[in-house]
Amino acid sequence: MLPPSVLLLTLAAFPFANAAPAPEGVVRIPLSRRSSKLARRGNPLDHFAAAADHVRARYGYTNTASTRRKRANTAEEPIIDQGQDQSYLGSISIGTPAQQFNVILDTGSADLWVASTSCQTCSSDTPEFSTSRSSSFKASTNSAGQAQSLTIKYGSGEVAGTLGTDTVSMAGFQISNQGFVVVDQTSQSLLSGTNAGIMGLGFTPIASSGATPFWEALVNANQLTQPVMSFWLRRLLDDSQATQTSELYGGEFTLGGTNTSLYTGEVQFIDFPSNVEPSFWLLSVAGVTVQGKSVSIPSGNSALAAIDTGTTLIGGPSDAVDSIWNAVPGSQALSGDYSGFYAFPCSTNVQISMSFGGNSWPISPADMNLGAISNNMCLGGIFDLTQGANVGSGNPSWVVGDTFLKNVYSVFRANPPSIGFAELSSAAGGSSGSPSSPPSSVAISLSGTGTATGIPTGTGSSGSNGAGGLRVGSIGVVLALLGAVAGGMFVL
């Protein structure tokens, strides 16, 4: 699957009003969401159709139709939410002296790449990395002494560039010789706004560059208190003050631990399925309920799901998706550009829960309703990923993106390989309250060059460079660029 989006935050402090202090060895990172240009064919929902195609391509279904606080070894980084939950970005620094960039945080891929000053196809607004300005940059060469080139392909496009190493920092953590791709060509509209690239948070085996991902390098170097990274993704899909081009406070990314103020109860960890080697972050879908009743879904290989922060929606196998929407009165399958999607009466609150072997986690009806596609019919947030294609060996037939992940606190653990979910606290918008907003002192860098722009609570911004919106730029498992190439929203 494929699509992406990125943005970075620079904060001197990003505490929650009632947030507990981060334990030693844990760094928490506020997240922000990235927006993108929409309406490739006039309908503001068209980007969802493009995103679905990108996700299908990313997962190999190509035969289908169409305040940063450092606390010892734990740190927090604010997340940027772009375009009403289209993508979520974080801030990194590369080089000596450091050059700062906003990048998509993508558990569905494993490569790190940023646009460079030699990019031939990037827009004038794209923040770019200058190799000549970094005394620590080293170009990778082949046996003939030539620069080692690389192309990374996605369903929505591709990027090309050369490999190199440099010092990469995030939330106070640093890897001195981090491998990454210096991009000099991208497909049209792949990057926009302050988005400069993607930070893949998957495992090394799926890294096209062959480089160890930044998070995994931190684990290997024993820099993290625990071999985990955690996400709270804030919902702005139903926020009247957010727009398709806004960049707002979008949650928190924590390296090395969790933020207990953002969830209640225990984190319920589920190990990877047996005989599954770490590549994508994978779980098996154990059950789905619709309007309070269980529906039939495939088991075995057809239950394998990639849990992907870089993907906006939820994609599933044909039989499961058909069963889900058949359980919603008045729903109907769509065709044409929306093939694989379903519409339902806008007056219906679609209540869907998913289980991965433990608790059943409800998805907010707000996340299931992507907007009106006709006078009284709305577009559903779960689409047919496979469209009848045979699932290849080890190829996930589900991609579970932010439509689900906004409803839980998620924890990705390297050892043993597992993913944990917990119920959101009231501070994070759980059942007992509304999502927290960042304090007015928080500064979010929208330029990607270290220029901080304050974003007061509840207000939007299109970026200091006047760009129309942020776009997703994730590379991993579900790089479902929500219409990034087509000028729409990106889904990883």
Side-chain angles (χ1 to χ4, degrees), residues 32-33 161 197 309 369 431:
S32 67
R33 177 182 178 184
T309 60
N369 189 335
S431 58

Side-chain angles (χ1 to χ4, degrees), residues 302-338:
S302 294
L304 197 62
I307 311 300
D308 191 348
T309 60
T311 293
T312 301
L313 305 177
I314 298 173
S318 303
D319 291 349
V321 174
D322 188 55
S323 294
I324 288 169
W325 290 113
N326 280 343
V328 177
S331 68
Q332 56 185 272
L334 301 177
S335 59
D337 287 336
Y338 291 92

Side-chain angles (χ1 to χ4, degrees), residues 219-238:
V219 171
N220 294 342
N222 294 318
Q223 290 196 40
L224 303 181
T225 298
Q226 302 176 61
V228 304
M229 51 188 171
S230 308
F231 288 86
W232 166 49
L233 303 180
R234 186 180 178 212
R235 177 185 298 104
L236 293 175
L237 182 66
D238 55 352

Side-chain angles (χ1 to χ4, degrees), residues 9 247-249 438-444 446 453-461:
L9 306 174
E247 298 178 357
L248 301 171
Y249 171 66
S440 59
S441 61
V442 170
I444 299 180
L446 297 177
T453 301
I455 299 183
T457 300
T459 64
S461 171

Side-chain angles (χ1 to χ4, degrees), residues 85-292:
D85 312 341
Q86 292 177 20
S87 58
Y88 294 87
L89 313 175
S91 173
I92 64 170
S93 296
I94 305 176
T96 307
Q99 301 173 46
Q100 195 170 33
F101 302 97
N102 295 326
V103 293
I104 294 172
L105 301 176
D106 180 21
T107 59
S109 67
D111 289 288
L112 171 62
W113 63 265
V114 292
S116 74
T117 52
S118 61
C119 184
Q120 304 169 24
T121 53
C122 295
S123 73
S124 59
D125 295 329
T126 300
E128 298 173 336
F129 174 66
S130 173
T131 59
S132 62
R133 285 175 47 203
S134 175
S135 61
S136 50
F137 176 77
K138 296 179 181 178
S140 300
T141 57
N142 56 27
S143 57
Q146 300 172 324
Q148 192 171 346
S149 60
L150 175 70
T151 297
I152 302 175
K153 296 184 178 181
Y154 306 102
S156 57
E158 61 184 46
V159 298
T162 57
L163 298 177
T165 63
D166 208 334
T167 298
V168 175
S169 302
M170 184 180 204
F173 290 118
Q174 178 176 293
I175 296 296
S176 298
N177 294 295
Q178 175 64 51
F180 68 109
V181 182
V182 180
V183 168
D184 53 34
Q185 293 186 57
T186 71
S187 295
Q188 184 180 8
S189 301
L190 187 59
L191 297 176
S192 66
T194 63
N195 177 24
I198 297 172
M199 174 174 272
L201 299 172
F203 293 86
T204 303
I206 60 171
S208 298
S209 64
T212 301
F214 178 78
W215 75 271
E216 202 169 3
L218 293 177
V219 171
N220 294 342
N222 294 318
Q223 290 196 40
L224 303 181
T225 298
Q226 302 176 61
V228 304
M229 51 188 171
S230 308
F231 288 86
W232 166 49
L233 303 180
R234 186 180 178 212
R235 177 185 298 104
L236 293 175
L237 182 66
D238 55 352
D239 189 328
S240 61
Q241 297 188 45
T243 69
Q244 293 289 353
T245 59
S246 63
E247 298 178 357
L248 301 171
Y249 171 66
E252 183 180 278
F253 175 51
T254 302
L255 281 165
T258 63
N259 184 342
T260 56
S261 71
L262 297 175
Y263 65 92
T264 62
E266 298 295 322
V267 177
Q268 183 180 81
F269 281 99
I270 304 158
D271 291 342
F272 278 24
S274 58
N275 302 320
V276 170
E277 294 297 324
S279 55
F280 301 122
W281 292 91
L282 299 170
L283 294 178
S284 291
V285 179
V288 176
T289 63
V290 181
Q291 310 301 78

Side-chain angles (χ1 to χ4, degrees), residues 56 61 64 296-298 302 315-326 340 342 382-391 397-398:
R56 292 175 183 128
Y61 297 104
T64 61
S296 175
I297 62 171
S302 294
S318 303
D319 291 349
V321 174
D322 188 55
S323 294
I324 288 169
W325 290 113
N326 280 343
Y342 286 73
I382 297 179
F383 71 96
D384 184 347
L385 170 66
T386 65
Q387 290 194 327
N390 292 325
V391 179
S397 54
W398 291 84

